[in-house]
Amino acid sequence: MSVVEMGQRLGLRKTTAYWLVHKGCFKTVLVQGIMRVDIESFEHWYANQTKHRKVDGTPPGEALRAYSYSVQEIAELLAVSDYVIYTLIQRHQLETFEVDTRMRVRKDVFEKWYQSQTKYRTEEDRKRDAELESSSMTMPQMARLLGITRDEVYLILGKKRNRGVFDIVVVGDKKRVTYESFENWYRNQSRYQKVTGKISGLQEELKKAEDSACKTLLDSERTSFTPSEAAILIGVPQRDVYRMIEEGILDSFTIGKMIRIRRASLEWWLSYQGEVFRREEK
């Protein structure tokens, strides 16, 4: 095809089309003194770049995406910001390469790093994690449930007689205790009691209103909530939600700069801790 035809395929001006030729992006031949672009080499170039797109809508970079990720693709995969990915690349010295001045990471390099950690998760693994989260609690949650410190929780878990009693799972770089193993332990001891609190008449009315809001939110198919929505769900001030995130009581993740709290974590709180923050503080 002629250089002009190549430019038309990409929706480029004549000068930009010739610029690609002079950059050596694809092979050219002279036919009766007129420069023409080798179609096979053009398609190979097109499949290995993402900057230019054909006007017919055929997506570029098919071959490139088959063996590598862009920073933006990894960020979307892990539900984090681009900045986090650039930081991870630098911190872990992940091998990268550039295509049209844009950084990319080979998929085998990414997979090797991904399998070496548990903090960052893909959507598929987040779904599996959600199943584990729905059947387990964090150490701070166990501490809250029993009204003790986290140090005491670790002492309980570390006691010789409790070895093999608690089932520990790791989700998002955090160790968790399964509810089933906790309840088995709880039934066979008498020293610790779950925390409960009495709710005054006014607080009972507030709880009913909150329960109505909770039902509206939890009846949806959403898997995560904002801090303000979480505050409504568990009936506490929003500042307490942020504090519980910092202490690891509520499991959260970020999408860009937005904090999201996992549904399973809030459902656990509603089931086991809903009354703790509603106690009269005297």
Side-chain angles (χ1 to χ4, degrees):
M1 61 182 163
S2 69
V3 175
V4 173
E5 289 173 330
M6 179 270 290
Q8 290 173 343
R9 287 194 182 191
L10 299 174
L12 301 176
R13 293 181 178 180
K14 187 176 179 180
T15 52
T16 306
Y18 273 101
W19 172 246
L20 292 178
V21 171
H22 290 304
K23 284 177 64 179
C25 294
F26 18 71
K27 295 178 183 178
T28 59
V29 294
L30 289 176
V31 179
Q32 296 180 346
I34 299 175
M35 182 182 292
R36 298 184 68 84
V37 176
D38 179 80
I39 293 178
E40 184 178 350
S41 69
F42 170 81
E43 294 296 344
H44 176 77
W45 164 82
Y46 189 75
N48 284 278
Q49 62 83 48
T50 57
K51 184 177 181 179
H52 301 284
R53 178 180 290 270
K54 293 179 181 179
V55 294
D56 66 5
T58 304
E62 182 180 358
L64 187 64
R65 289 195 300 272
Y67 70 87
S68 67
Y69 292 121
S70 68
V71 169
Q72 293 73 27
E73 287 169 339
I74 296 176
E76 183 177 349
L77 190 64
L78 301 181
V80 296
S81 67
D82 294 357
Y83 173 78
V84 171
I85 302 305
Y86 283 116
T87 301
L88 290 174
I89 289 173
Q90 184 177 16
R91 182 183 302 162
H92 297 280
Q93 298 183 331
L94 299 183
E95 181 184 350
T96 63
F97 65 98
E98 288 189 359
V99 175
D100 294 322
T101 71
R102 298 174 183 176
M103 184 182 294
R104 298 188 69 86
V105 178
R106 291 183 62 89
K107 288 186 177 181
D108 56 349
V109 172
F110 171 79
E111 289 298 331
K112 183 177 180 180
W113 166 80
Y114 184 75
Q115 297 302 327
S116 71
Q117 57 81 52
T118 56
K119 181 176 181 180
Y120 300 97
R121 315 296 285 162
T122 63
E123 181 179 1
E124 183 178 351
D125 283 341
R126 286 195 295 272
K127 289 179 180 178
R128 284 197 290 265
D129 290 347
E131 295 179 4
L132 289 174
E133 288 171 352
S134 66
S135 62
S136 63
M137 70 179 83
T138 63
M139 308 312 172
Q141 289 171 339
M142 181 173 168
R144 287 279 184 180
L145 183 58
L146 297 175
I148 59 179
T149 66
R150 273 182 282 184
D151 288 341
E152 289 179 274
V153 168
Y154 286 110
L155 285 174
I156 292 172
L157 298 177
K159 286 184 177 180
K160 188 175 182 179
R161 65 170 177 271
N162 290 332
R163 291 177 185 174
V165 173
F166 293 98
D167 292 330
I168 308 296
V169 295
V170 178
V171 181
D173 226 19
K174 294 180 181 178
K175 290 184 178 180
R176 303 174 66 95
V177 176
T178 64
Y179 290 136
E180 183 178 1
S181 65
F182 170 82
E183 292 297 340
N184 288 337
W185 165 81
Y186 187 76
R187 286 193 296 269
N188 289 286
Q189 60 83 47
S190 57
R191 179 176 178 180
Y192 299 96
Q193 297 293 318
K194 294 178 183 178
V195 175
T196 57
K198 295 182 180 180
I199 304 177
S200 65
L202 176 61
Q203 288 172 317
E204 190 68 55
E205 292 302 314
L206 290 173
K207 181 177 182 297
K208 290 178 182 178
E210 289 163 355
D211 285 346
S212 177
C214 290
K215 189 175 186 299
T216 300
L217 287 172
L218 289 179
D219 275 350
S220 69
E221 296 181 354
R222 295 169 57 187
T223 58
S224 65
F225 301 89
T226 65
S228 60
E229 291 170 336
I232 294 174
L233 283 168
I234 62 178
V236 302
Q238 193 168 332
R239 63 176 180 275
D240 286 337
V241 171
Y242 285 110
R243 177 178 60 77
M244 286 189 281
I245 291 173
E246 291 177 0
E247 293 180 358
I249 298 169
L250 293 178
D251 292 332
S252 66
F253 61 95
T254 57
I255 300 178
K257 295 183 179 179
M258 296 176 59
I259 297 176
R260 307 288 298 184
I261 300 157
R262 301 183 192 280
R263 179 191 186 97
S265 181
L266 294 177
E267 289 180 336
W268 175 86
W269 184 267
L270 289 170
S271 298
Y272 288 89
Q273 292 284 23
E275 297 183 351
V276 173
F277 268 93
R278 299 187 181 99
R279 288 186 301 176
E280 293 184 351
E281 296 182 4
K282 296 183 179 180

